[in-house]
Amino acid sequence: AATIGSAEMVRAAEVARLLALLAQTRRSSALAALRGANALSRCLGALLATPWSSILHSALRAVILEVIANEDDGFAAVVAMIKDVEVMRQVVQEHRAAVEARNAIAAAAAAEEGEERQEPGFSPVEDVGYLGPLHSICAELYELGSRVPEVASALAAVEGWDEVVVPEILAMQTLQAEPLGGPTPDVAGPTSPLCNFDCMEAMRMAMGELNDEMDLSLEDLRDINEEFDMAQMVEMADLHSRRRAKAAARAGVRGEDPLMDDDEDDEETAREASAVSRPDAPSPEGGDEDVS
């Protein structure tokens, strides 16, 4: 499959999930079936053949790690995968390409503009999406080899494992072990500002300063209340002014207080309405005459 959303990619991910569930059962018959089908080597080969599918990478990685975690019956399947010369050669080659690409980027960043140009025909290796899962699998194999001599012997027989892959694993472990934000400060040292810090004493001093600031007399409190009342009065006056201005704008009145003219406007409106709706008055003779 060449695209992430293809049907082949989806089916491969589903099959890998089923294999991971089968490995989670930790049954010797299930692991024997995986070993007989050479499932781990196929999963690792599928991982290297699909550079840009994180869903499939996670599923394939889960299958391999589930088998590695089974220390009772999983060693045989793991050793069989390590002895697959073609697949492990690709693993070493991917790590070597990653190292070359990183060194090329570092050299280009350190070189000044116009100097130390790249050699003709040289192009850094493009990074791929499966390097993270691949490094995780190799790190688990390295950790397993430190406990199981059979796995360590199989890894040592892989050409380039000790020279290329192991230094990458150790470098990544060192990087991940570094604390975020730099080294932890030495709070117990004699030059540290926290060496003689007393939390309770600092709290008592802060509360004492707070009490000093809030020690007000009755006259001070009365002045504060008067200032607060005055501020409220100013705000209310400003609010009424804005309301009158809005009412005047709606009524179309300029320079007059619309609230004072509400009664006059209502009376004039009532007179106009009655004049329009009132029928014609009868004639003095008491009836309508037809004027011809």
Side-chain angles (χ1 to χ4, degrees):
T3 58
I4 296 177
S6 63
E8 294 81 1
M9 191 75 66
V10 174
R11 285 196 294 268
E14 292 297 331
V15 171
R17 292 191 185 98
L18 291 176
L19 292 177
L21 292 175
L22 184 63
Q24 286 179 0
T25 61
R26 296 183 178 272
R27 294 179 178 270
S28 58
S29 58
L31 294 174
L34 292 175
R35 183 177 66 253
N38 201 16
L40 297 188
S41 296
R42 293 185 177 183
C43 289
L44 190 54
L47 177 69
L48 298 173
T50 52
W52 308 113
S53 179
S54 58
I55 296 177
L56 182 58
H57 296 164
S58 299
L60 296 172
R61 170 180 172 272
V63 176
I64 299 175
L65 294 187
E66 285 294 339
V67 178
I68 292 176
N70 190 343
E71 298 185 0
D72 296 330
D73 301 319
F75 294 154
V78 173
V79 172
M81 180 188 67
I82 297 173
K83 290 183 178 181
D84 192 331
V85 179
E86 183 62 28
V87 173
M88 295 306 296
R89 183 184 295 114
Q90 295 182 24
V91 171
V92 175
Q93 179 60 31
E94 290 297 331
H95 281 82
R96 182 179 290 110
V99 173
E100 292 176 355
R102 187 170 60 250
N103 294 336
I105 294 174
E112 296 181 356
E113 184 178 1
E115 297 181 1
E116 298 184 11
R117 297 180 179 178
Q118 296 179 352
E119 299 178 359
F122 175 81
S123 59
V125 179
E126 182 182 9
D127 195 4
V128 287
Y130 54 68
L131 284 180
L134 181 62
H135 175 80
S136 176
I137 294 171
C138 293
E140 291 294 332
L141 291 175
Y142 177 77
E143 180 66 21
L144 182 63
S146 63
R147 302 192 307 268
V148 182
E150 294 82 354
V151 176
S153 300
L155 290 174
V158 176
E159 183 180 358
W161 175 266
D162 293 332
E163 297 81 9
V164 179
V165 181
V166 173
E168 286 292 295
I169 296 174
L170 297 178
M172 186 60 66
Q173 290 178 352
T174 303
L175 179 63
Q176 293 178 350
E178 293 182 357
L180 296 177
T184 305
D186 185 12
V187 297
T191 60
S192 174
L194 303 178
C195 60
N196 297 322
F197 180 75
D198 189 350
C199 181
M200 298 302 298
E201 182 64 22
M203 291 179 61
R204 284 193 292 269
M205 292 179 60
M207 294 301 295
E209 295 176 357
L210 181 62
N211 293 332
D212 293 340
E213 294 177 358
M214 298 302 294
D215 189 9
L216 301 176
S217 63
L218 294 178
E219 184 177 358
D220 295 332
L221 295 175
R222 185 170 56 252
D223 294 340
I224 293 175
N225 292 332
E226 290 179 356
E227 293 178 358
F228 183 72
D229 294 339
M230 182 62 66
Q232 284 187 331
M233 292 175 62
V234 171
E235 291 180 359
M236 292 298 295
D238 183 62
L239 178 61
H240 287 309
S241 299
R242 291 198 300 269
R243 288 181 177 177
R244 285 195 295 268
K246 291 180 179 179
R250 288 195 299 266
V253 179
R254 302 296 182 182
E256 299 180 1
D257 191 352
L259 300 180
M260 300 298 296
D261 298 338
D262 287 343
D263 296 336
E264 297 178 2
D265 293 341
D266 293 339
E267 292 177 0
E268 183 178 359
T269 302
R271 287 196 300 269
E272 292 177 356
S274 60
V276 172
S277 61
R278 184 175 56 194
D280 295 336
S283 62
E285 289 77 10
D288 295 340
E289 295 181 359
D290 185 13
V291 180
S292 57

